[in-house]
Amino acid sequence: MASAIVILVLGWAAVPSLFASGDPLSGVPTQKFQGPSAEHWFGTDRLGRDLYTRVVHAAGLSLSATVFAVLLGLVAGSLIGLVVGTTGGFVDTAISRIVDVLLSIPELLISLALVTVLGVGTRNVAIAVGVGLIARFARVMRAEVLRVRNAPAAFASGVRWHTVLFRHVLRNAYGPVAALAAIEFGVAVLAVAALSFLGYGAVPPTPEWGSLIAEGRNYLATAWWLTTLPGLVIIALVLATQRIARAIHKDNAR
């Protein structure tokens, strides 16, 4: 079920017109604020635009920002973890303390501070969220490097350290890093949506999941579907990624 949800949402992002052929930017004013029905699965908004169509087309921007953020955190954090774990000494101590400080600060708060400096835009949101994820990936990769360094069997054949690094460390770190990436993907979805909700994402009327919820918050009493249904899509995707992360973790523990 979790995989099906992720595949469906990825399909929305890749080929939105296949799942919703309508125009997400235009609507019929006479059909505004219509509730969910067979004609409009998610209802319509204040301009008569089909909400399901807007949610499907918003998946592209929201997930592209999420994927970029996770990749940024994964690549930068893994490189930092490899460097500090391999180098040791003062470099390891200094950077580890910086990572500890960053881990003590909520990722969303770091992202919010960065996007305030970078400015409005989906790309800036993705960068800000990605930077907020770097510390966790760095910690996991450093732990894997130290684990291999402390295993005498890794050096029993007398091979060089860089050979051990690529043959043993990266191979053994794949499982923990993959599980962390799945977890952080869900975190990044929430962070991107939150920053979009606050107005730092794409400029309206371009749809993003967070901005869709923000648009509907003024009509909670009369049009609950405007916030509830996009929110349920986000919740379903996050829970699905967490389920996949747990499955990866169990496989690695065996």
Side-chain angles (χ1 to χ4, degrees), residues 103-231:
L103 289 175
S104 68
I105 304 173
E107 294 171 357
L108 183 58
L109 184 58
I110 295 175
S111 301
L112 181 59
L114 288 174
V115 80
T116 303
V117 175
L118 295 174
V120 175
T122 303
R123 181 180 62 181
N124 292 337
V125 166
I127 293 173
V129 173
V131 172
L133 301 178
I134 290 176
R136 292 191 182 276
F137 284 104
R139 171 59 63 83
V140 170
M141 184 58 73
R142 174 182 177 273
E144 291 301 313
V145 173
L146 295 179
R147 183 170 64 85
V148 173
R149 286 184 62 180
N150 294 329
F155 301 92
S157 59
V159 297
R160 296 180 179 179
W161 167 246
H162 68 268
T163 303
V164 174
L165 185 68
F166 287 100
R167 287 185 180 179
H168 296 277
V169 177
L170 294 181
R171 182 182 300 176
N172 293 330
Y174 169 77
V177 170
L180 179 61
I183 294 172
E184 295 300 330
F185 186 89
V187 173
V189 168
L190 292 174
V192 169
L195 294 179
S196 176
F197 177 87
L198 295 174
Y200 290 103
V203 178
T206 303
E208 279 187 324
W209 287 342
S211 62
L212 290 179
I213 296 175
E215 290 175 4
R217 71 184 186 278
N218 295 324
Y219 308 100
L220 284 173
T222 56
W224 56 268
W225 56 88
L226 295 179
T227 54
T228 301
L229 298 183

Side-chain angles (χ1 to χ4, degrees), residues 2-197:
S3 298
I5 292 174
V6 172
I7 292 172
L8 175 62
V9 176
L10 290 177
W12 288 359
V15 195
S17 58
L18 182 64
F19 298 90
S21 58
D23 185 354
L25 302 181
S26 64
V28 182
T30 56
Q31 297 182 1
K32 64 180 181 180
F33 292 131
Q34 291 190 1
S37 64
E39 183 180 1
H40 301 288
W41 292 357
F42 285 12
T44 61
D45 63 8
R46 61 186 179 86
L47 298 178
R49 296 173 295 193
D50 183 72
L51 183 60
Y52 170 74
T53 300
R54 288 176 62 76
V55 169
V56 170
H57 284 263
L61 271 180
S62 297
L63 288 190
S64 62
T66 300
V67 170
F68 180 87
V70 174
L71 287 177
L72 175 59
L74 171 63
V75 174
S78 296
L79 288 176
I80 293 173
L82 282 171
V83 170
V84 299
T86 304
T87 305
F90 174 77
V91 174
D92 183 15
T93 301
I95 296 181
S96 295
R97 297 295 77 77
I98 295 174
V99 169
D100 290 339
V101 171
L102 292 176
L103 289 175
S104 68
I105 304 173
E107 294 171 357
L108 183 58
L109 184 58
I110 295 175
S111 301
L112 181 59
L114 288 174
V115 80
T116 303
V117 175
L118 295 174
V120 175
T122 303
R123 181 180 62 181
N124 292 337
V125 166
I127 293 173
V129 173
V131 172
L133 301 178
I134 290 176
R136 292 191 182 276
F137 284 104
R139 171 59 63 83
V140 170
M141 184 58 73
R142 174 182 177 273
E144 291 301 313
V145 173
L146 295 179
R147 183 170 64 85
V148 173
R149 286 184 62 180
N150 294 329
F155 301 92
S157 59
V159 297
R160 296 180 179 179
W161 167 246
H162 68 268
T163 303
V164 174
L165 185 68
F166 287 100
R167 287 185 180 179
H168 296 277
V169 177
L170 294 181
R171 182 182 300 176
N172 293 330
Y174 169 77
V177 170
L180 179 61
I183 294 172
E184 295 300 330
F185 186 89
V187 173
V189 168
L190 292 174
V192 169
L195 294 179
S196 176
F197 177 87

